[in-house]
Amino acid sequence: KFFYYFGHAASNSLYTSTDAKTWKAETALIGLPLNAKLRNMVVFNNAIYLLHNGLDIYKTTDGINWAHHTMVADPAYNYTSLLFAFKNKIWAVAKEKTSNNVRIANSADGVNWAFTGNKIFNDNFPVTDFASTTFRPKLGREKVVVIGGFSPSGKRLNTLWSAENVTITDTLNWLNLQNAKSNIVAVSDAAVEYYGSKLMLFSGATNTLAVDTTQLRQSMNEGMNWILPDSATNILPDNFKHRTHASVIKDSKDNSLYVIGGKSSTAPMADVWKIKVNFYSFKDY
């Protein structure tokens, strides 16, 4: 199923769908906190986890009933955002309370957290509003990327952090791929997914959404360089409104990509776009 969470001032709502076209309003949610940043969710081990208020973890296995847990973690840090599920663990960004130093933590159960390695980022790793995904390229190990977002000091970043799955260690060896030829400006509230043998970066804001014109970028080399897609083979429809905060979901069942909702410059959006690479439609005889 697709799960779409929507936060109201006085309540949270959940809509589900099996095809992203017809949606059903579910029963009232139990235990999901109000005013939570609902984009701060990660699916891990057949459950959904939400990070809230720095040290609170909420978990659900059915999408409706949420259980609260207090994180067992270093009290000198606020845990600001969940990153992804990777290497059989869930990962998060943590900011030191007395400085802008950032570290990466992980957990095998969503409750007990530990730092891996001694890497400290000095105001150049995002703590909120970044785009991230895990993917397995045609060659090489499974990887993660974290793109843009805001640093602890509130600076919008053009960083392109990447790490790969090294089986002999839990530590992620982070590399910033941003360079003079990467052709990506500082961006926030975008979404990224690996699809059709390329990374695709959707929506987001680089200045103010009303004047942003770039809503689709792609990288053929796992994040090193970014270009506008060839409009002869990949172009956004004319009625695709510019947005931030879109949800991008890859459905392996039929090898399709879905872009769901987001925010325009004036209001939340409730549209769904389905993308399918043509070569996935060819049958192998």
Side-chain angles (χ1 to χ4, degrees):
K1 286 184 178 180
F2 294 87
F3 286 70
Y4 181 82
Y5 289 91
F6 192 90
H8 303 268
S11 65
N12 295 311
S13 300
L14 169 63
Y15 300 85
T16 63
S17 175
T18 57
D19 60 4
K21 196 178 222 181
T22 303
W23 294 83
K24 171 189 174 185
E26 297 290 345
T27 58
L29 302 176
I30 299 173
L32 186 63
L34 295 177
N35 300 313
K37 196 168 186 176
L38 299 181
R39 281 173 58 83
N40 204 2
M41 291 182 180
V42 166
V43 177
F44 174 62
N45 282 353
N46 295 315
I48 305 174
Y49 291 81
L50 169 73
L51 175 61
H52 182 53
N53 280 345
L55 283 173
D56 293 320
I57 284 285
Y58 293 81
K59 176 184 176 182
T60 180
T61 55
D62 63 5
I64 296 174
N65 297 282
W66 292 79
H68 170 257
H69 304 274
T70 299
M71 296 171 66
V72 180
D74 190 329
Y77 286 79
N78 277 324
Y79 293 73
T80 58
S81 300
L82 296 181
L83 283 163
F84 37 67
F86 190 59
K87 294 170 65 75
N88 296 316
K89 293 188 177 181
I90 190 170
W91 299 74
V93 180
K95 176 193 170 298
E96 192 173 25
K97 294 178 180 178
T98 58
S99 73
N100 284 335
N101 290 339
V102 173
R103 297 185 69 183
I104 308 299
N106 67 30
S107 172
D109 60 8
V111 177
N112 298 282
W113 292 81
F115 296 122
T116 58
N118 299 315
K119 178 72 172 177
I120 297 177
F121 302 90
N122 297 312
D123 202 42
N124 63 347
F125 197 99
V127 291
T128 61
D129 301 311
F130 49 80
S132 66
T133 193
T134 65
F135 66 98
R136 185 181 297 277
K138 286 186 175 181
L139 299 174
R141 300 184 179 98
E142 187 180 16
K143 297 183 178 182
V144 297
V145 290
V146 179
I147 301 173
F150 288 99
S151 74
S153 66
K155 178 174 60 178
R156 185 183 277 127
L157 298 169
N158 66 343
T159 49
L160 297 156
W161 291 101
S162 177
E164 65 180 19
N165 186 351
V166 179
T167 56
I168 61 174
T169 177
D170 278 341
T171 302
L172 296 183
N173 182 25
W174 289 97
L175 297 173
N176 185 4
L177 303 181
Q178 195 278 332
N179 61 81
K181 296 182 180 180
S182 62
N183 293 332
I184 191 167
V185 297
V187 63
S188 60
D189 300 312
V192 64
E193 186 58 78
Y194 187 78
Y195 183 65
S197 302
K198 62 179 76 71
L199 281 169
M200 300 179 68
L201 187 68
F202 292 88
S203 70
T206 57
N207 183 16
T208 59
L209 189 59
V211 298
D212 276 342
T213 57
T214 303
Q215 287 280 293
L216 179 61
R217 314 158 184 86
Q218 69 181 32
S219 173
M220 306 296 291
N221 54 8
E222 301 168 18
M224 285 289 294
N225 305 100
W226 293 81
I227 60 173
L228 297 176
D230 183 348
S231 60
T233 58
N234 186 3
I235 186 171
L236 290 171
D238 291 338
N239 56 342
F240 182 92
K241 293 184 178 180
H242 291 184
R243 66 194 64 201
T244 59
H245 300 89
S247 297
V248 178
I249 299 173
K250 181 180 178 181
D251 185 5
S252 58
K253 181 175 60 178
D254 66 350
N255 287 313
S256 291
L257 201 65
Y258 294 85
V259 180
I260 303 176
K263 294 180 179 178
S264 73
S265 58
T266 58
M269 307 186 73
D271 55 351
V272 179
W273 295 86
K274 182 178 180 179
I275 304 165
K276 193 172 180 68
V277 174
N278 287 341
F279 63 70
Y280 283 137
S281 297
F282 284 81
K283 295 182 179 180
D284 183 5
Y285 289 102

